[in-house]
């Protein structure tokens, strides 16, 4: 298969380890300039997306997660 097809054919397993004490809304993500480049803030209808370490740490902080 071509590389692009192989990438799309991969499956990703994810599992929550703990809930956020405070949910982080899409509006909050879009309102934060530090997350302006995040795929979630830029594109619609994403079920799986790349998230940088810096983005993840900020979202966790916004949600009150200290894990």
């Amino acid at each position: 298969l071509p590389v692009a097809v192989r990438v799309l054919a991969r499956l990703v397993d994810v599992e929550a380890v703990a809930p956020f004490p405070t949910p982080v809304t899409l509006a909050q993500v879009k309102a934060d300039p530090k997350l302006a480049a995040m795929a979630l803030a830029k594109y619609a209808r994403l079920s799986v997306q790349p998230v940088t370490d810096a983005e993840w740490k900020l979202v966790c902080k916004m949600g009150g997660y200290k894990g």
Side-chain angles (χ1 to χ4, degrees), residues 1 3 7 12 16 18 24-26 29 32-35 38 40 42-43 46 48-49 51-52 54 56-57 62:
L1 295 173
V3 173
V7 171
V12 178
V24 179
T25 67
L26 179 58
V29 170
D32 193 313
K34 294 176 191 164
L35 297 175
M38 188 176 189
L40 180 64
K42 292 170 50 174
Y43 307 111
L46 293 174
V48 177
Q49 65 180 349
V51 178
T52 67
W56 181 243
K57 288 177 184 175
M62 292 168 69

Side-chain angles (χ1 to χ4, degrees), residues 15-24 56 59-67:
E15 182 179 342
V17 293
F20 278 11
T22 305
V24 179
W56 181 243
V59 170
C60 287
K61 183 178 178 181
M62 292 168 69
Y65 183 72
K66 296 183 179 16

